[in-house]
Each structure stands twice: as structure tokens, then as C-alpha cells.
Amino acid sequence: MMQTWEQLQTIQPNVVRMLTNSILKDRVAHAYLFEGGRGTGKKEISIQFAKSCFCNNKTGAEPCHVCIECKRIDSGNHPDVLFISPDGLSLKKEQIIELQREFSKKSVEAKGKIYILEHADKMTTQAANSLLKFLEEPSGRTVAILLTEQVQQILPTILSRCQILNFKPLPPDLLLEKLIEQGVPNHLGKLVSSLTNNLNEALGILSDEWFAQARTIVIQLNEFLIKRGGSQALLFLQEKWMPHFKEKEQLNTGLDLLLLWFKDLLYILIGKENNIIYIDQTELLEEQSVGYSQKKIADHLALILEAKKRLNANVNPSLLMEQLILKLQEG
């Protein structure tokens, strides 16, 4: 989806300001490192930046988006804009050598060349050393854009040759706004924007019927917990919860949803109802909050976080959930 600098500025104001200024003043750096979490707009902004550099009809820093240059960049077919992604699990030396070979040729349009290196942290040592040589001896107007989610994995010698731009996570309220624009109901948008700051990932989660069922199961589990019917809750766990949260990642999401429920109970107790995530369940939350103190909820939150940690340490999922339910009921 085509976006303007103005639209991208709502996601990454500092990054956009720095890049557009460099374009307007014709002070484009030789190498950039875009670092930040998944879904923060690194690739979209690198494409927009390339379009701004090559567009023949731009207004200020804004590319026209319709000329042949812009269209070729959007489709990934521009001869002077190259995308390099890991070959398998890593970016290999051969890929960097091929890139150097490609860039030793004169640019087709005589405006220079741009290469965008995705997952730059996945370079092998040999690839990183080859890239380093390339960064030290640029040919013509060559611009490198390295994208990474793991900046600590990049060689310090490479970092020192790049202008580093930090991409901040998408704020939940901005993500919620974007989800509502896409027709997502407010109560589901609010919930999923608490689980991810990635728009595409959020839409993917919401398109899966599994997520809607997971939400219902979490609400039902809390009803069993509040009734203090120990055996009933364990039966529900075996019959409904475990068959639904089969994979480790699914169970982790289930624990996140449970965590958000208890946070909502805490918000009610401290009078911050505006922060509630399960907004369509306010009545039930208010009813349940009567049975809790702030300390008890804090203890429950700690138990769920501990269960998440143990899940990552490969504890048996069924046993882990049984122990968690019993501890939550003891509280």
C-alpha cells in the first residue's frame, strides 16, 4: 500500500524528519542502519526513501508514486535499487560479492544506486567483512540501507560507518486507530493492539477464528476461577483450554490474554476504568473485582508471568497450566 511521508511520519516522526531533511538538503548519507522491532515500518520507509531519491516528479521530498521510477521501485524491478534477503538462515558472503559486482557497473539511470539489506544481523562473519570493505570503498553515489531487529548482532565496525536510525514500536492507540480504519471492532482492536505493535500481524491474528475462540475460553476460565470450584476449573482446563492452546506459541498467547484480564481487574480496583482492554466485559469484570484485593491481583499477575517463563523453559504445558490454576485458586 502506497504511503506518503506525512502518513509515515505518524508512525516514525523522528526517522521521517531526519530522512526528508537529508533529501531536501541533498545530504544523503552513504550508509544507514534502520533498527527496531518487526512491524515498525523499516522496509516501507526504505522503499519510500528510494523513491524520493529516484523520482523525477517529486514535490519537495515527496515522490509522485506514479512515474516509471516509483512504480519500478514499488514492484521491486528497478535496476538501481537492490533488495538482499538472507539466503536460508543467513546472509552469505557470495550474496555480498554479487552485490559488489552489480554495483561496480555504472548505474542505469546515472542517479546512483541503493541497496537495501534485510535482516542485516543475519550476515555470516565473511559476509560482514565483505560488506565492511564495500562500505569503506563506496563506488559513485551508492547508498546502503541495512535493516535489523537485532542491532546488538551487528559488527561495531559496520555500525560506526552507518547513520543509525531507531524505529520506535507502534503505540497501541495508533495501532488501534489503524485497525478501526480497517473495520475491526473496537473491543477486538483494543485487545490485539495490547499483544502486538505490528499492523500486519494484528490483522493476521484477527482474521483467524482461533483468536476469537481463545478470547472466549479465557473469559470462561476466569468465571470458573472466581466460582472457586477447583475440580470444575481443572475439568474445563482439560476439556476446553488444552485442546485449544495446543502449540507452545498458542499457549503463550493464552497466558497473555489471561494476564490482560487480571490487569483489567486491577484497573477497576484503582479506578482506572479508561485503561480496560476487555471493554465489552466491563460488567463481568466489575462483578469479579469484588472478590479481589490489589495485592491478590499483583500476586496472580506474578504467577502468570512465572508460568510464561517456565513455558519458555520447556516445562510440560498441561502440568504447567494445572499448577497455575491451583495456585490462582489458592489465592
Side-chain angles (χ1 to χ4, degrees):
M1 183 179 73
M2 185 274 286
Q3 295 189 73
T4 63
W5 279 125
E6 191 178 352
Q7 288 168 320
L8 291 165
Q9 189 152 11
T10 63
I11 303 169
Q12 297 296 339
N14 294 338
V15 169
V16 168
R17 190 170 60 251
M18 288 178 76
L19 290 175
T20 50
N21 280 342
S22 70
I23 292 161
L24 290 168
K25 293 175 181 173
D26 197 21
R27 288 185 188 157
V28 171
H30 161 54
Y32 293 95
L33 182 100
F34 291 179
E35 72 95 4
R38 196 156 59 112
T40 49
K42 297 186 297 297
K43 190 169 182 183
E44 292 89 337
I45 286 178
S46 65
I47 292 168
Q48 176 79 348
F49 180 77
K51 283 158 72 174
S52 288
C53 291
F54 284 94
C55 178
N56 290 320
N57 305 311
K58 64 175 180 273
T59 307
E62 185 62 50
C64 71
H65 304 286
V66 293
C67 70
I68 188 70
E69 305 285 357
C70 287
K71 285 186 172 176
R72 283 194 296 182
I73 291 168
D74 275 334
S75 64
N77 291 321
H78 197 289
D80 294 326
V81 180
L82 277 80
F83 291 86
I84 304 99
S85 297
D87 178 9
L89 293 173
S90 59
L91 276 158
K92 299 182 173 60
K93 181 183 178 182
E94 294 72 30
Q95 290 180 275
I96 304 299
I97 290 170
E98 177 57 33
L99 174 71
Q100 288 170 308
R101 197 177 295 124
E102 196 63 39
F103 274 59
S104 65
K105 303 170 192 171
K106 281 192 173 172
S107 65
V108 177
E109 310 293 340
K111 284 189 180 179
K113 287 172 176 274
I114 293 176
Y115 61 95
I116 298 163
L117 208 61
E118 296 186 78
H119 302 291
D121 49 280
K122 293 185 177 172
M123 279 185 281
T124 62
T125 309
Q126 294 93 329
N129 288 328
S130 292
L131 180 69
L132 188 58
K133 194 162 182 286
F134 196 22
L135 290 173
E136 286 169 343
E137 302 166 10
S139 54
R141 290 193 64 172
T142 298
V143 179
I145 303 176
L146 281 59
L147 314 182
T148 182
E149 293 168 30
Q150 307 281 340
V151 71
Q152 71 281 2
Q153 304 284 347
I154 308 277
L155 283 179
T157 44
I158 288 180
L159 292 179
S160 68
R161 285 161 178 79
C162 296
Q163 184 176 336
I164 301 170
L165 298 182
N166 178 252
F167 282 62
K168 307 286 186 195
L170 204 60
D173 53 347
L174 181 59
L175 178 57
L176 176 60
E177 191 183 304
K178 289 184 176 296
L179 289 169
I180 288 169
E181 281 171 16
Q182 301 264 0
V184 172
N186 194 27
H187 69 284
L188 288 178
K190 194 143 192 183
L191 185 59
V192 82
S193 59
S194 301
L195 298 175
T196 178
N197 48 34
N198 180 331
L199 179 60
N200 290 333
E201 195 172 87
L203 291 169
I205 291 169
L206 291 165
S207 68
D208 190 345
E209 182 55 34
W210 179 91
F211 182 72
Q213 289 171 4
R215 182 180 182 275
T216 302
I217 288 168
V218 168
I219 294 167
Q220 288 172 340
L221 178 64
N222 279 290
E223 289 174 332
F224 279 110
L225 287 174
I226 204 79
K227 287 171 187 168
R228 299 285 186 269
S231 58
Q232 275 187 314
L234 288 173
L235 188 65
F236 178 80
L237 190 70
Q238 294 307 327
E239 289 184 352
K240 297 278 186 184
W241 180 285
M242 293 313 296
H244 192 70
F245 299 99
K246 290 194 283 263
E247 308 291 329
K248 185 175 169 180
E249 201 174 312
Q250 291 177 333
L251 183 51
N252 199 37
T253 300
L255 289 169
D256 282 335
L257 294 172
L258 194 59
L259 197 67
L260 290 170
W261 185 269
F262 279 99
K263 280 186 178 176
D264 279 357
L265 288 171
L266 186 59
Y267 285 139
I268 284 173
L269 287 182
I270 61 176
K272 290 194 172 180
E273 287 85 353
N274 288 344
N275 293 349
I276 288 173
I277 300 297
Y278 288 89
I279 46 174
D280 62 329
Q281 300 295 320
T282 305
E283 204 174 309
L284 179 59
L285 284 161
E286 283 175 348
E287 192 184 304
Q288 287 192 3
S289 68
V290 176
Y292 287 98
S293 65
Q294 287 183 37
K295 184 188 180 305
K296 191 187 283 186
I297 292 176
D299 290 344
H300 282 12
L301 290 170
L303 287 169
I304 298 165
L305 287 169
E306 179 60 28
K308 277 171 65 67
K309 197 188 293 181
R310 291 180 67 213
L311 179 65
N312 290 327
N314 291 323
V315 174
N316 177 283
S318 189
L319 180 65
L320 178 133
M321 282 307 300
E322 281 179 21
Q323 289 172 343
L324 176 62
I325 295 305
L326 291 171
K327 284 176 185 171
L328 290 174
Q329 288 190 311
E330 280 169 18

